[in-house]
Coordinates of all heavy atoms in Angstrom, one line a residue:
M1 N 12.5 -18.1 6.7 CA 11.2 -18.2 6.1 C 10.9 -16.9 5.3 O 11.0 -15.8 5.9 CB 10.1 -18.3 7.2 CG 8.7 -18.6 6.7 SD 7.8 -19.4 8.0 CE 6.1 -19.4 7.2
G2 N 10.7 -17.0 4.1 CA 10.4 -15.9 3.2 C 9.1 -15.3 3.5 O 8.2 -15.9 4.0
L3 N 9.0 -14.0 3.2 CA 7.7 -13.3 3.5 C 6.5 -14.0 2.7 O 5.4 -14.0 3.2 CB 7.8 -11.8 3.1 CG 8.8 -11.0 3.9 CD1 8.8 -9.6 3.4 CD2 8.5 -11.1 5.4
A4 N 6.8 -14.5 1.5 CA 5.7 -15.1 0.7 C 5.1 -16.3 1.4 O 4.0 -16.7 1.1 CB 6.2 -15.4 -0.7
E5 N 5.9 -17.0 2.2 CA 5.5 -18.2 2.9 C 4.4 -17.9 4.0 O 3.8 -18.8 4.4 CB 6.7 -18.9 3.5 CG 7.6 -19.4 2.5 CD 8.9 -20.1 3.1 OE1 8.7 -21.1 3.7 OE2 10.0 -19.5 2.9
F6 N 4.3 -16.7 4.4 CA 3.2 -16.3 5.3 C 1.9 -16.2 4.7 O 0.9 -16.1 5.4 CB 3.6 -15.0 6.1 CG 4.8 -15.2 7.0 CD1 6.1 -15.0 6.6 CD2 4.5 -15.6 8.3 CE1 7.1 -15.2 7.5 CE2 5.6 -15.8 9.2 CZ 6.9 -15.6 8.8
T7 N 1.8 -16.1 3.4 CA 0.6 -15.9 2.7 C -0.3 -17.1 2.9 O 0.1 -18.3 2.9 CB 0.8 -15.8 1.1 OG1 1.7 -14.7 0.9 CG2 -0.5 -15.6 0.4
G8 N -1.6 -16.8 3.3 CA -2.5 -17.9 3.5 C -2.6 -18.4 5.0 O -3.5 -19.1 5.3
L9 N -1.7 -17.9 5.8 CA -1.7 -18.2 7.2 C -2.8 -17.4 8.0 O -3.1 -16.3 7.5 CB -0.4 -18.1 7.9 CG 0.7 -19.0 7.3 CD1 2.1 -18.7 8.0 CD2 0.4 -20.4 7.4
T10 N -3.3 -17.9 9.1 CA -4.2 -17.2 9.9 C -3.6 -16.8 11.2 O -3.2 -17.7 12.0 CB -5.5 -18.0 10.1 OG1 -6.1 -18.3 8.9 CG2 -6.5 -17.3 11.0
P11 N -3.5 -15.5 11.5 CA -2.9 -15.1 12.8 C -3.9 -15.5 13.9 O -5.1 -15.5 13.7 CB -2.8 -13.6 12.6 CG -2.9 -13.3 11.2 CD -3.7 -14.4 10.6
S12 N -3.3 -15.7 15.1 CA -4.2 -16.1 16.2 C -5.0 -14.8 16.6 O -4.6 -13.7 16.5 CB -3.3 -16.5 17.4 OG -2.4 -15.5 17.7
G13 N -6.3 -15.1 16.8 CA -7.2 -14.0 17.1 C -7.9 -13.4 15.9 O -8.7 -12.5 15.9
Y14 N -7.6 -14.0 14.7 CA -8.1 -13.5 13.4 C -8.8 -14.7 12.7 O -8.5 -14.9 11.6 CB -7.1 -12.9 12.6 CG -6.6 -11.5 13.1 CD1 -5.6 -11.5 14.1 CD2 -7.0 -10.3 12.5 CE1 -5.2 -10.2 14.5 CE2 -6.5 -9.1 12.9 CZ -5.6 -9.1 14.0 OH -5.1 -7.9 14.4
E15 N -9.6 -15.4 13.4 CA -10.1 -16.7 12.9 C -10.6 -16.7 11.5 O -10.5 -17.6 10.7 CB -11.1 -17.3 13.9 CG -10.5 -18.1 15.0 CD -9.7 -17.2 16.0 OE1 -10.0 -16.0 16.1 OE2 -8.8 -17.8 16.6
E16 N -11.3 -15.6 11.1 CA -11.9 -15.6 9.8 C -11.0 -15.0 8.7 O -11.4 -14.9 7.5 CB -13.2 -14.7 9.8 CG -14.1 -14.9 11.0 CD -15.0 -16.1 10.6 OE1 -15.9 -15.9 9.8 OE2 -14.9 -17.1 11.3
R17 N -9.8 -14.7 9.1 CA -8.9 -13.9 8.2 C -7.7 -14.7 7.8 O -7.2 -15.6 8.6 CB -8.5 -12.6 8.9 CG -9.6 -11.9 9.6 CD -10.7 -11.5 8.8 NE -10.4 -10.5 7.8 CZ -10.3 -9.2 8.0 NH1 -10.5 -8.7 9.2 NH2 -10.0 -8.4 7.1
T18 N -7.2 -14.4 6.7 CA -5.9 -15.0 6.3 C -5.0 -13.9 5.7 O -5.5 -12.9 5.3 CB -6.1 -16.1 5.2 OG1 -6.8 -15.5 4.1 CG2 -6.8 -17.3 5.7
I19 N -3.7 -14.1 5.8 CA -2.8 -13.2 5.3 C -2.8 -13.2 3.7 O -2.5 -14.3 3.2 CB -1.4 -13.4 5.8 CG1 -1.4 -13.2 7.3 CG2 -0.3 -12.6 5.1 CD1 -0.1 -13.6 8.0
E20 N -3.1 -12.1 3.1 CA -3.0 -12.1 1.7 C -1.7 -11.7 1.1 O -1.2 -12.1 0.1 CB -4.0 -11.0 1.1 CG -5.5 -11.5 1.2 CD -6.4 -10.6 0.5 OE1 -6.1 -9.4 0.3 OE2 -7.5 -11.0 0.2
R21 N -1.0 -10.8 1.9 CA 0.2 -10.3 1.4 C 1.1 -9.7 2.5 O 0.5 -9.1 3.4 CB 0.0 -9.2 0.3 CG 1.1 -8.9 -0.6 CD 0.6 -8.1 -1.8 NE 0.3 -6.8 -1.5 CZ 1.1 -5.8 -1.6 NH1 2.4 -6.0 -2.0 NH2 0.7 -4.5 -1.3
V22 N 2.4 -9.9 2.4 CA 3.3 -9.3 3.4 C 4.3 -8.5 2.5 O 4.9 -9.1 1.6 CB 4.0 -10.3 4.3 CG1 4.9 -9.6 5.2 CG2 3.0 -11.2 5.0
S23 N 4.5 -7.3 2.8 CA 5.5 -6.5 2.1 C 6.3 -5.7 3.0 O 5.9 -5.2 4.0 CB 4.8 -5.7 1.0 OG 3.9 -4.8 1.6
R24 N 7.6 -5.4 2.6 CA 8.4 -4.5 3.2 C 7.9 -3.1 2.8 O 7.6 -2.9 1.7 CB 9.9 -4.7 2.8 CG 10.5 -5.8 3.5 CD 11.9 -6.0 3.0 NE 12.2 -7.5 2.9 CZ 12.4 -8.2 4.0 NH1 12.4 -7.7 5.2 NH2 12.6 -9.5 3.8
H25 N 7.9 -2.2 3.8 CA 7.2 -1.0 3.6 C 7.8 0.1 4.3 O 8.3 0.0 5.4 CB 5.7 -1.2 4.1 CG 4.8 -0.1 3.8 ND1 4.3 0.8 4.8 CD2 4.3 0.4 2.6 CE1 3.5 1.6 4.2 NE2 3.5 1.4 2.9
H26 N 7.9 1.3 3.6 CA 8.2 2.5 4.4 C 7.7 3.6 3.5 O 7.7 3.6 2.3 CB 9.7 2.7 4.8 CG 10.6 2.6 3.6 ND1 11.9 3.1 3.7 CD2 10.5 2.0 2.4 CE1 12.5 2.9 2.5 NE2 11.7 2.2 1.8
R27 N 7.2 4.6 4.2 CA 6.5 5.7 3.5 C 7.5 6.9 3.5 O 7.9 7.4 4.5 CB 5.3 6.1 4.3 CG 4.2 5.0 4.2 CD 3.0 5.5 5.0 NE 2.5 6.8 4.5 CZ 1.3 7.3 4.8 NH1 0.5 6.6 5.5 NH2 0.9 8.4 4.4
W28 N 7.7 7.4 2.3 CA 8.5 8.6 2.1 C 7.6 9.8 1.9 O 8.0 11.0 1.9 CB 9.4 8.5 1.0 CG 10.4 7.4 1.2 CD1 10.5 6.2 0.6 CD2 11.6 7.5 2.0 NE1 11.6 5.5 1.1 CE2 12.3 6.3 1.9 CE3 12.1 8.5 2.9 CZ2 13.4 6.0 2.7 CZ3 13.3 8.2 3.6 CH2 13.9 7.0 3.5
D29 N 6.3 9.5 1.7 CA 5.4 10.6 1.2 C 4.7 11.4 2.3 O 3.9 12.2 2.1 CB 4.3 10.0 0.3 CG 3.5 8.9 1.0 OD1 4.0 8.3 2.0 OD2 2.3 8.7 0.7
V30 N 5.0 11.0 3.5 CA 4.4 11.7 4.6 C 5.1 13.0 5.0 O 6.3 13.1 5.1 CB 4.3 10.8 5.9 CG1 3.2 9.7 5.7 CG2 5.6 10.2 6.2
D31 N 4.3 14.1 5.1 CA 4.9 15.3 5.4 C 4.8 15.6 6.9 O 5.3 16.6 7.4 CB 4.3 16.5 4.6 CG 2.8 16.5 4.7 OD1 2.2 15.7 5.6 OD2 2.1 17.2 4.0
R32 N 4.3 14.7 7.6 CA 4.3 14.8 9.1 C 4.6 13.4 9.6 O 4.5 12.4 8.8 CB 3.0 15.3 9.7 CG 1.8 14.4 9.2 CD 0.5 15.0 9.8 NE -0.6 14.2 9.2 CZ -1.0 13.0 9.7 NH1 -0.4 12.5 10.7 NH2 -2.0 12.4 9.2
E33 N 5.1 13.3 10.8 CA 5.4 12.0 11.3 C 4.1 11.1 11.5 O 3.1 11.6 12.0 CB 6.0 12.1 12.7 CG 7.4 12.8 12.7 CD 8.4 12.0 12.0 OE1 8.2 10.8 11.7 OE2 9.5 12.5 11.8
A34 N 4.1 10.0 10.9 CA 3.0 9.1 11.0 C 3.5 7.9 11.8 O 4.5 7.3 11.6 CB 2.5 8.6 9.6
W35 N 2.7 7.5 12.7 CA 3.0 6.4 13.6 C 1.9 5.3 13.6 O 0.7 5.6 13.4 CB 3.2 6.9 15.1 CG 4.3 7.9 15.2 CD1 4.2 9.2 15.0 CD2 5.6 7.7 15.7 NE1 5.4 9.8 15.2 CE2 6.3 8.9 15.7 CE3 6.3 6.5 16.1 CZ2 7.6 9.0 16.1 CZ3 7.6 6.6 16.6 CH2 8.2 7.9 16.5
S36 N 2.3 4.1 13.9 CA 1.4 3.0 14.1 C 1.9 2.1 15.2 O 3.1 2.2 15.5 CB 1.1 2.3 12.8 OG 0.1 1.3 13.0
D37 N 1.1 1.2 15.7 CA 1.6 0.3 16.7 C 1.8 -1.1 16.0 O 0.9 -1.5 15.2 CB 0.5 0.1 17.8 CG 0.4 1.4 18.6 OD1 1.4 2.2 18.7 OD2 -0.6 1.6 19.2
C38 N 2.8 -1.7 16.4 CA 3.0 -3.1 16.0 C 1.9 -4.0 16.5 O 1.6 -4.0 17.7 CB 4.4 -3.6 16.4 SG 4.6 -5.4 16.1
T39 N 1.2 -4.7 15.6 CA 0.1 -5.5 16.0 C 0.5 -6.7 16.9 O -0.2 -7.1 17.8 CB -0.5 -6.1 14.7 OG1 -1.1 -5.1 14.0 CG2 -1.7 -7.1 15.0
N40 N 1.8 -7.1 16.8 CA 2.3 -8.1 17.7 C 2.7 -7.6 19.1 O 2.2 -8.1 20.1 CB 3.4 -8.9 17.0 CG 3.9 -10.0 17.9 OD1 3.1 -10.9 18.2 ND2 5.2 -10.0 18.3
C41 N 3.7 -6.8 19.1 CA 4.3 -6.4 20.4 C 3.9 -5.0 20.9 O 4.2 -4.7 22.0 CB 5.8 -6.5 20.2 SG 6.5 -5.1 19.3
G42 N 3.2 -4.3 20.1 CA 2.7 -3.0 20.6 C 3.6 -1.8 20.5 O 3.3 -0.7 20.9
S43 N 4.8 -2.1 20.0 CA 5.8 -1.0 19.8 C 5.3 0.0 18.9 O 4.7 -0.3 17.9 CB 7.1 -1.6 19.3 OG 7.7 -2.4 20.2
E44 N 5.7 1.2 19.1 CA 5.4 2.3 18.2 C 6.3 2.2 17.0 O 7.5 2.1 17.1 CB 5.5 3.7 18.9 CG 4.4 4.0 19.7 CD 4.4 5.5 20.0 OE1 5.5 6.1 20.2 OE2 3.3 6.1 20.1
L45 N 5.7 2.3 15.8 CA 6.5 2.2 14.6 C 6.4 3.6 13.9 O 5.2 4.1 13.7 CB 5.9 1.1 13.6 CG 6.0 -0.3 14.2 CD1 5.2 -1.2 13.2 CD2 7.4 -0.8 14.3
R46 N 7.5 4.1 13.5 CA 7.4 5.3 12.7 C 7.3 4.8 11.2 O 8.2 4.1 10.7 CB 8.7 6.2 12.9 CG 8.5 7.5 12.2 CD 9.6 8.5 12.7 NE 10.9 8.0 12.3 CZ 12.0 8.8 12.3 NH1 11.9 10.0 12.8 NH2 13.1 8.3 11.9
L47 N 6.3 5.2 10.6 CA 6.0 4.6 9.2 C 7.0 5.0 8.2 O 7.1 4.4 7.1 CB 4.6 4.9 8.8 CG 3.5 4.4 9.7 CD1 2.1 4.6 9.1 CD2 3.7 2.9 10.0
R48 N 7.8 6.0 8.5 CA 8.9 6.5 7.6 C 10.0 5.4 7.6 O 10.8 5.4 6.7 CB 9.3 7.8 8.1 CG 10.2 8.5 7.1 CD 10.6 9.9 7.6 NE 9.5 10.8 7.4 CZ 9.6 12.1 7.7 NH1 10.7 12.6 8.2 NH2 8.6 12.9 7.5
D49 N 10.1 4.7 8.7 CA 11.1 3.7 8.8 C 10.6 2.4 8.3 O 9.4 2.1 8.2 CB 11.5 3.5 10.3 CG 12.2 4.7 10.9 OD1 12.8 5.5 10.1 OD2 12.2 4.9 12.1
R50 N 11.6 1.5 7.9 CA 11.2 0.2 7.3 C 10.5 -0.7 8.3 O 10.9 -0.8 9.5 CB 12.5 -0.5 6.8 CG 12.3 -1.6 5.9 CD 13.6 -2.0 5.3 NE 14.1 -1.0 4.4 CZ 13.7 -0.9 3.1 NH1 12.9 -1.8 2.6 NH2 14.2 0.0 2.3
H51 N 9.4 -1.3 7.9 CA 8.6 -2.2 8.7 C 7.9 -3.1 7.7 O 8.1 -3.0 6.5 CB 7.6 -1.4 9.6 CG 6.7 -0.6 8.8 ND1 7.0 0.7 8.4 CD2 5.4 -0.8 8.4 CE1 6.0 1.2 7.7 NE2 5.0 0.3 7.7
L52 N 7.1 -4.0 8.3 CA 6.3 -4.9 7.5 C 4.8 -4.5 7.4 O 4.3 -4.1 8.5 CB 6.4 -6.3 8.0 CG 7.8 -7.0 7.9 CD1 7.7 -8.4 8.5 CD2 8.3 -7.0 6.5
L53 N 4.3 -4.5 6.3 CA 2.9 -4.2 6.1 C 2.2 -5.5 5.7 O 2.5 -6.1 4.7 CB 2.7 -3.1 5.0 CG 1.2 -2.8 4.6 CD1 0.5 -2.1 5.7 CD2 1.2 -2.0 3.3
V54 N 1.1 -5.9 6.4 CA 0.4 -7.1 6.2 C -1.0 -6.8 5.8 O -1.7 -6.0 6.4 CB 0.4 -8.0 7.4 CG1 -0.5 -9.3 7.2 CG2 1.8 -8.4 7.8
T55 N -1.4 -7.3 4.7 CA -2.8 -7.2 4.2 C -3.6 -8.5 4.5 O -3.1 -9.6 4.2 CB -2.9 -6.9 2.7 OG1 -2.0 -5.8 2.4 CG2 -4.3 -6.6 2.3
L56 N -4.7 -8.3 5.2 CA -5.5 -9.4 5.6 C -6.8 -9.5 4.7 O -7.3 -8.5 4.4 CB -6.0 -9.3 7.1 CG -4.9 -9.4 8.2 CD1 -5.5 -9.0 9.5 CD2 -4.4 -10.8 8.2
G57 N -7.1 -10.7 4.4 CA -8.3 -10.9 3.6 C -9.2 -12.0 4.2 O -8.7 -12.8 5.0
P58 N -10.4 -12.3 3.8 CA -11.1 -11.3 2.9 C -11.7 -10.2 3.8 O -11.9 -10.4 5.0 CB -12.2 -12.2 2.3 CG -12.5 -13.2 3.4 CD -11.2 -13.4 4.1
G59 N -12.0 -9.1 3.2 CA -12.5 -8.0 4.0 C -12.8 -6.8 3.2 O -12.3 -6.7 2.1
T60 N -13.5 -5.9 3.7 CA -13.9 -4.7 3.0 C -13.4 -3.4 3.7 O -13.4 -2.3 3.1 CB -15.4 -4.6 2.7 OG1 -16.1 -4.7 3.9 CG2 -15.8 -5.6 1.8
D61 N -13.1 -3.6 5.0 CA -12.7 -2.4 5.8 C -11.2 -2.2 5.7 O -10.4 -2.8 6.3 CB -13.1 -2.7 7.3 CG -12.9 -1.4 8.1 OD1 -12.2 -0.5 7.7 OD2 -13.4 -1.4 9.3
L62 N -10.9 -1.2 4.9 CA -9.5 -1.0 4.6 C -8.7 -0.6 5.9 O -7.5 -0.9 6.0 CB -9.3 0.2 3.6 CG -9.8 -0.1 2.2 CD1 -9.7 1.1 1.3 CD2 -9.1 -1.3 1.6
E63 N -9.4 -0.1 6.8 CA -8.7 0.4 8.1 C -8.2 -0.8 8.8 O -7.1 -0.8 9.4 CB -9.7 1.2 8.9 CG -9.0 2.1 9.9 CD -8.0 3.1 9.2 OE1 -8.4 3.7 8.2 OE2 -6.9 3.2 9.7
T64 N -8.9 -1.9 8.9 CA -8.5 -3.1 9.6 C -7.9 -4.1 8.8 O -7.4 -5.1 9.3 CB -9.7 -3.7 10.4 OG1 -10.7 -4.0 9.4 CG2 -10.3 -2.7 11.4
D65 N -7.9 -3.9 7.5 CA -7.3 -4.9 6.6 C -5.8 -4.8 6.5 O -5.1 -5.8 6.1 CB -7.8 -4.8 5.2 CG -9.2 -5.4 5.1 OD1 -9.6 -6.2 6.0 OD2 -9.9 -5.2 4.1
R66 N -5.2 -3.7 6.9 CA -3.8 -3.5 6.8 C -3.2 -3.3 8.2 O -3.7 -2.4 8.9 CB -3.5 -2.3 6.0 CG -3.9 -2.5 4.5 CD -4.2 -1.2 3.8 NE -3.0 -0.3 3.7 CZ -2.3 -0.2 2.6 NH1 -2.7 -0.9 1.5 NH2 -1.3 0.6 2.6
V67 N -2.3 -4.1 8.6 CA -1.7 -4.0 9.9 C -0.1 -3.9 9.7 O 0.4 -4.3 8.7 CB -2.0 -5.2 10.8 CG1 -3.5 -5.3 11.0 CG2 -1.4 -6.5 10.3
H68 N 0.5 -3.3 10.7 CA 1.9 -3.0 10.6 C 2.6 -3.9 11.7 O 2.1 -4.1 12.8 CB 2.2 -1.5 10.9 CG 1.5 -0.6 10.0 ND1 2.1 -0.3 8.7 CD2 0.4 0.1 10.0 CE1 1.3 0.5 8.1 NE2 0.2 0.8 8.9
L69 N 3.8 -4.4 11.3 CA 4.6 -5.2 12.2 C 6.0 -4.7 12.1 O 6.5 -4.2 11.1 CB 4.5 -6.6 11.9 CG 3.1 -7.3 12.1 CD1 2.8 -8.3 11.1 CD2 3.1 -7.9 13.5
C70 N 6.8 -4.9 13.2 CA 8.2 -4.4 13.3 C 9.0 -5.1 12.2 O 9.7 -4.5 11.4 CB 8.8 -4.8 14.6 SG 8.0 -4.1 16.1
D71 N 9.0 -6.4 12.2 CA 9.9 -7.2 11.4 C 9.5 -8.7 11.3 O 8.4 -9.0 11.8 CB 11.3 -7.1 12.0 CG 11.4 -7.4 13.5 OD1 10.4 -8.1 14.0 OD2 12.3 -7.0 14.2
E72 N 10.3 -9.5 10.7 CA 10.0 -10.9 10.6 C 9.8 -11.6 11.9 O 9.0 -12.5 12.1 CB 11.1 -11.6 9.8 CG 11.0 -11.4 8.3 CD 11.8 -10.2 7.9 OE1 12.1 -9.3 8.8 OE2 12.2 -10.1 6.7
R73 N 10.5 -11.2 13.0 CA 10.4 -11.8 14.2 C 9.0 -11.6 14.8 O 8.4 -12.5 15.3 CB 11.5 -11.3 15.2 CG 11.6 -12.0 16.5 CD 12.7 -11.4 17.4 NE 12.4 -10.0 17.7 CZ 11.5 -9.6 18.6 NH1 10.8 -10.5 19.3 NH2 11.3 -8.4 18.8
C74 N 8.5 -10.4 14.7 CA 7.1 -10.1 15.2 C 6.1 -10.8 14.4 O 5.1 -11.3 14.9 CB 6.9 -8.6 15.3 SG 7.5 -7.8 16.8
L75 N 6.3 -10.9 13.1 CA 5.4 -11.5 12.2 C 5.3 -13.0 12.5 O 4.2 -13.6 12.6 CB 5.9 -11.4 10.7 CG 5.1 -12.1 9.6 CD1 3.7 -11.6 9.6 CD2 5.8 -11.9 8.3
T76 N 6.4 -13.7 12.8 CA 6.5 -15.1 13.2 C 5.7 -15.3 14.5 O 4.9 -16.2 14.6 CB 7.9 -15.6 13.3 OG1 8.6 -15.3 12.0 CG2 8.0 -17.0 13.6
E77 N 6.0 -14.5 15.5 CA 5.2 -14.6 16.7 C 3.7 -14.4 16.5 O 2.9 -15.1 17.1 CB 5.7 -13.5 17.7 CG 7.1 -13.9 18.3 CD 7.5 -12.8 19.4 OE1 6.7 -12.0 19.8 OE2 8.7 -12.8 19.7
W78 N 3.4 -13.4 15.7 CA 2.0 -13.1 15.5 C 1.2 -14.2 14.9 O 0.0 -14.5 15.3 CB 1.9 -11.8 14.6 CG 0.6 -11.2 14.4 CD1 -0.2 -10.8 15.4 CD2 0.0 -10.9 13.2 NE1 -1.4 -10.3 14.9 CE2 -1.3 -10.3 13.5 CE3 0.3 -11.0 11.9 CZ2 -2.1 -9.8 12.6 CZ3 -0.5 -10.5 10.9 CH2 -1.8 -9.9 11.2
V79 N 1.8 -14.9 14.0 CA 1.1 -16.1 13.3 C 1.2 -17.3 14.2 O 0.7 -18.4 13.8 CB 1.5 -16.3 11.9 CG1 1.2 -15.1 11.0 CG2 3.0 -16.7 11.8
G80 N 2.1 -17.3 15.2 CA 2.2 -18.4 16.1 C 3.0 -19.6 15.6 O 2.7 -20.7 15.9
I81 N 4.0 -19.3 14.8 CA 4.9 -20.4 14.4 C 6.3 -20.1 14.9 O 6.7 -18.9 15.1 CB 5.0 -20.5 12.9 CG1 5.3 -19.2 12.2 CG2 3.6 -21.1 12.4 CD1 5.4 -19.3 10.7
E82 N 7.1 -21.1 15.1 CA 8.5 -20.9 15.6 C 9.5 -21.2 14.5 O 9.3 -22.1 13.7 CB 8.7 -21.8 16.8 CG 7.9 -21.4 18.0 CD 8.3 -20.0 18.5 OE1 9.5 -19.6 18.4 OE2 7.4 -19.4 19.0
Ligands
ZN101 ZN1 6.7 -5.7 17.0

């Protein structure tokens, strides 16, 4: 399943929200270690390493509109499809 196919899906627990975009992401611009938690499994992600960035819409709060996930496996679990 390609990343684009997740567009428009609603993750469980996010009833009002839909996935606007999924992209492969890693940050090279950080001068200190930046960490986030995977929204699905809770693993710590070092944002310098490759991971998935999901933008949720519609919304105005940039802080909650972008979530990080480990990989496609966590993304698939998160949206509840097998
Ligand atoms: Zn994960």
